[in-house]
Every structure is written in structure tokens, then in C-alpha cells.
Amino acid sequence: MSRRRLGYLLKHAGLRLGELTGPALEPYGIDGREFAVLSVLGAREPLSQLEAAQRLGIDRTTMVAMVDALERKGLVGRRPHPGDRRKNIVEPTERGREVLGAATRAVEEAEEAFLAVLPDQDAQRLREALDRLV
Amino acid sequence: MSRRRLGYLLKHAGLRLGELTGPALEPYGIDGREFAVLSVLGAREPLSQLEAAQRLGIDRTTMVAMVDALERKGLVGRRPHPGDRRKNIVEPTERGREVLGAATRAVEEAEEAFLAVLPDQDAQRLREALDRLV
DNA sequence: TATTGTTATACTCTATAACTATA
DNA sequence: TATAGTTATAGAGTATAACAATA
């Protein structure tokens, strides 16, 4: 049995991973949270702000500030939803898609570096176990 | 390959676990952070505030407030270090040790419930993998 | 001079409440 | 009446800077 609590391990694993992904994203001018938002907004179907917020498990008021920041950086754009004008459709700009692609590769490399201490199969199992737990 | 990012999985796994450990600790009047501090202070050798902070990876100014809270609740006590009077030795009170024991069992049960969706061996592997990564 | 504990302060992240506009 | 976006605000949680006591 591990001597350290599971909560400690999860928290500090996330912190350590963040120490790798943070610098990996820096060249693209975004942080980990902005990358997460950009990722869901780059999904196949266009999303409203609320839908994007729900996919990430964050509040819609938090999403406002995230979209503001990405819009200021020219990475996403808002437009009214054609059928329901209460909603904003938020989509990556062309540059947003480029950044998303490059940043995704950078994050995947950071994840690989983070997981490098584990045999490949163990890393794969870790992902699958976390996926089931979440 | 998992579609969700590793950072997301680690963060939300921690959040979901916290939803179980939080209520599990409530009967003992402490939250997860206080439990973590009480745990390291309940270790074999008595620790100073700074040593406890370093074991948890938190700042020594943060530790002041944590020890204040636990002391108010009668779960730990400060006393000067005999050989170095700059230091506080912080140790659980008798009641602190009782609470620590009961709270530890409650947290372990919450962890088991959290991991229940995984086969035993996978849960064990998850712990070991996280332990290596941290 | 350096270290430990402390206080005051500030910053980040996030949510709640209240408003506007649309449905 | 309810929903989506927005704004203002407040609450965690944490760290940095400065100070006193001690080494």
C-alpha cells in the first residue's frame, strides 16, 4: 500500500504535469486553462458558451472571461446563434485552429515526457483507469 | 488513446474524490487540507511547522493558518523546540490522535468507494503509477 | 547573516447574485 | 417564466514581502 493519500497523489501529479505543460504552451501565448477551452471550442460541432462551459465542468460566468481572453488574442470569435439569439456560437479563428494544432502537439509531448518514467503499458492503463473514474 | 487530456483527468479525478472525502471528514470537523496536515503531524517523529509544510509542498505562511485552525479545534498543540527556539514543535493532542485515526479510516473508505469501479488490481496499479509520477 | 514563525497584503481561480436580452 | 450571456462582487486558497526572535 502506498503511504501517501490518493488525494495527495492526484493533486501533485496534476501539479507536476502542469509544470511541463505550462512552459510547453508558453510559445503559443496561452495557458493550460485557455488551451482546454480552445480544445473544446475546436470540436466538430460549434458550441455555445454554455455548452463549452458544461463540457469543461466550469461555470458559465467563468467561461465569459475565458472567451474574452481568447478573443482578445484573436484565437476565437463570437457570433450570434442563428436560431436562438440568446446564444453565442464561439468558434476558433483560422489562427486559433493553427495554434490549437501546434499546442495540442506540444501538450501531447509534455504528457509523454511526464509519463516517461512509466512503462508504456502502465501509462496506457493509468489513462484508462482515470478515464473510468472521472 | 483517451480523448480527454491527462490534465483534465487528473484534475477531475481529484475533484470527484474530494466529493467523497469531504463529507466523510465532516463528522470530525475537519476538511481535506486539515486532514492532510494532521496526518503529517501525526507521523513518528515530531515536526516543526516548516518541516510539515515541506512534506506537503505548501508554503510556511500557509502552514501558520492551518496549525492555527487545528489548534483552535484542540487537535494539535505547539511547543518550543528544545534545541532551537526559533522552531515550533507541533504535535497532535490526545484528541487529535483519536480524530486522526477515525478520519483516516473514513478517508480510506472514501478512497475505496471512489476506486470501486476499477478491478482491485487496476486500482493498485493506479496508486503505484501515481506514486512513481509524483 | 540566515532561519523560523508571524502578519499584512495581494493575486489567482472560481462561484453567487443580479441585470439584460431573448425565448 | 426560463435561459444565455454579462457584470460586479465575494470567497477560497495560496504566495510574496517585511518584521521579530533566535541561531
Side-chain angles (χ1 to χ4, degrees), chain B residues 20-21 29 35-36 38 41 50 62 71 75 81 97 122:
Chain B
L20 298 178
T21 54
F35 171 72
L38 188 57
L41 292 175
L50 184 58
T62 302
E71 197 172 39
L75 301 178
H81 187 293
R97 295 219 175 264
D122 290 13

Side-chain angles (χ1 to χ4, degrees), chain B residues 11 48-50 60-61 78 86 88:
Chain B
K11 177 180 173 184
S48 72
Q49 290 185 199
L50 184 58
R60 73 189 204 274
T61 62
R78 289 169 158 107
R86 292 173 302 184
N88 286 342

